[in-house]
């Protein structure tokens, strides 16, 4: 029997935290930096990532480095499910909604802007139950 409570407690959190952390470095920058820079440049503070579909909205965020990372995010999610003995057909949807604070970024010790955001991960299981978890910034 699959332990669906793991969807909230470890699978959802760990998958997205890794995606947004300093463990995800590509194309001369961290994925979270790429996302934040696009958000700031386009003045679009909200994005939604479909983890199962390896897609992102709005489409302006679909650049090669993000698309590659989204593919790996989906694989990482499936790996976490497998480790938790949860077949993927137990999952109806998995999303991460991120809202950047573009008005008040956190300034790090080095004077660099750090990405300040709110992130809500929602996984809906085969029983239509929603499992939600908040993922904090990597530097908190």
């Amino acid at each position: 029997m699959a332990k669906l409570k793991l969807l909230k407690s470890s699978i959802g959190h760990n998958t997205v935290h890794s995606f947004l952390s300093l463990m995800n470095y590509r194309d001369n920058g961290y994925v979270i930096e790429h996302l934040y820079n696009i958000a700031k440049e386009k003045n679009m503070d909200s994005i939604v990532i479909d983890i199962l579909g390896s897609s992102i909205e709005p489409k302006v965020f679909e650049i090669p480095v993000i698309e590659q990372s989204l593919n790996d995010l989906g694989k990482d999610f499936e790996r976490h499910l497998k480790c938790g003995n949860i077949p993927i057909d137990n999952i109806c949807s998995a999303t991460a909604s991120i809202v950047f604070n573009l008005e008040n970024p956190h300034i790090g010790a080095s004077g660099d802007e750090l990405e300040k955001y709110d992130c809500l991960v929602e996984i809906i299981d085969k029983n239509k139950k929603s499992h939600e978890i908040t993922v904090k910034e990597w530097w908190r």
Side-chain angles (χ1 to χ4, degrees), residues 41-93:
E41 176 186 324
K42 302 293 184 182
N43 198 31
M44 301 176 115
D45 62 353
S46 299
I47 61 176
V48 177
I49 297 170
D50 178 352
I51 298 168
L52 290 178
S54 297
S55 63
I56 190 168
E57 289 288 338
K59 297 292 184 198
V60 71
F61 289 87
E62 286 184 348
I63 62 172
V65 67
I66 301 300
E67 291 175 328
Q68 294 164 2
S69 189
L70 290 174
N71 286 330
D72 289 343
L73 173 65
K75 291 175 190 171
D76 194 36
F77 182 67
E78 288 182 33
R79 182 180 58 77
H80 282 286
L81 288 174
K82 188 175 182 179
C83 289
N85 292 317
I86 300 173
I88 196 157
D89 63 357
N90 280 268
I91 309 302
C92 292
S93 70

Side-chain angles (χ1 to χ4, degrees), residues 2-132:
K3 293 183 181 180
L4 296 177
K5 66 180 180 179
L6 292 175
L7 294 174
K8 176 180 178 178
S9 62
S10 63
I11 294 171
H13 178 271
N14 292 350
T15 301
V16 176
H17 190 269
S18 294
F19 177 76
L20 298 175
S21 77
L22 297 184
M23 294 171 25
N24 199 0
Y25 188 85
R26 298 161 187 265
D27 199 19
N28 298 317
Y30 300 102
V31 168
I32 188 63
E33 286 179 317
H34 293 297
L35 292 171
Y36 179 76
N37 289 337
I38 294 169
K40 194 171 176 182
E41 176 186 324
K42 302 293 184 182
N43 198 31
M44 301 176 115
D45 62 353
S46 299
I47 61 176
V48 177
I49 297 170
D50 178 352
I51 298 168
L52 290 178
S54 297
S55 63
I56 190 168
E57 289 288 338
K59 297 292 184 198
V60 71
F61 289 87
E62 286 184 348
I63 62 172
V65 67
I66 301 300
E67 291 175 328
Q68 294 164 2
S69 189
L70 290 174
N71 286 330
D72 289 343
L73 173 65
K75 291 175 190 171
D76 194 36
F77 182 67
E78 288 182 33
R79 182 180 58 77
H80 282 286
L81 288 174
K82 188 175 182 179
C83 289
N85 292 317
I86 300 173
I88 196 157
D89 63 357
N90 280 268
I91 309 302
C92 292
S93 70
T95 59
S97 300
I98 302 168
V99 178
F100 289 104
N101 186 338
L102 300 177
E103 299 296 320
N104 187 22
H106 175 76
I107 305 299
S110 65
D112 293 334
E113 255 184 39
L114 299 175
E115 304 77 19
K116 199 171 186 182
Y117 56 82
D118 293 314
C119 177
L120 178 69
V121 178
E122 180 181 32
I123 301 170
I124 299 177
D125 68 27
K126 67 180 180 180
N127 302 316
K128 305 296 185 215
K129 181 176 180 187
S130 175
H131 305 266
E132 294 182 348

